[in-house]
Amino acid sequence: MRELGAGELLDATGVVTLPEGGFWDWEVVHWTPAELRLRAGYDLTYHHELELILAGATLVRCPDMFHDPVFRAPSAAEGAAVAGWLGESPPLLIAFDADAGGAEPMPCLVAAEGIGGILLRGE
């Protein structure tokens, strides 16, 4: 298992960039006020290769299971909406669109204090 830091996970614009791998299936496996932990893999029925840990997640708007997320910069409207809901802009706002089983990808948002880490299994 190898752990990556936040500097290896966020690009210059703050968009999540994942290491190489087949991270098709995703699910929320743990969520407390201190930590949101997502796991991902090619097929979660058997195992997972990646865990994304977000420290101090204050807002999570995504299904508990989703597929093939496309990480992107949050729109200005999404940033303003989150700031309105929370009373201030969060230190980290992650946006992505994912297959949640519907006809169109679902826009998802996670507001957090920061990246707690990323674990790569099998290395």
Side-chain angles (χ1 to χ4, degrees):
M1 181 175 2
R2 184 168 71 103
E3 186 170 350
L4 302 175
E8 298 175 89
L9 186 62
L10 299 174
D11 71 10
T13 64
V15 174
V16 172
T17 56
L18 297 174
E20 292 294 319
F23 308 120
W24 162 254
D25 286 342
W26 287 74
E27 72 177 347
V28 175
V29 291
H30 179 77
W31 183 18
T32 66
E35 174 183 281
L36 171 68
R37 186 177 294 250
L38 302 170
R39 71 179 183 163
Y42 180 75
D43 184 348
L44 292 179
T45 304
Y46 301 105
H47 64 282
H48 67 283
E49 294 87 23
L50 178 141
E51 290 183 19
L52 175 59
I53 303 154
L54 299 168
T58 54
L59 179 135
V60 178
R61 191 179 79 180
C62 72
D64 61 346
M65 291 192 77
F66 53 92
H67 308 285
D68 201 22
V70 176
F71 292 93
R72 58 178 174 75
S75 70
E78 288 171 327
V82 169
W85 297 328
L86 299 179
E88 63 184 356
S89 294
L92 177 65
L93 181 57
I94 295 175
F96 59 94
D97 300 314
D99 178 354
E104 297 290 325
M106 179 180 178
C108 301
L109 295 169
V110 178
E113 294 297 317
I115 301 290
I118 185 167
L119 303 175
L120 295 173
R121 300 186 175 280
E123 289 195 358

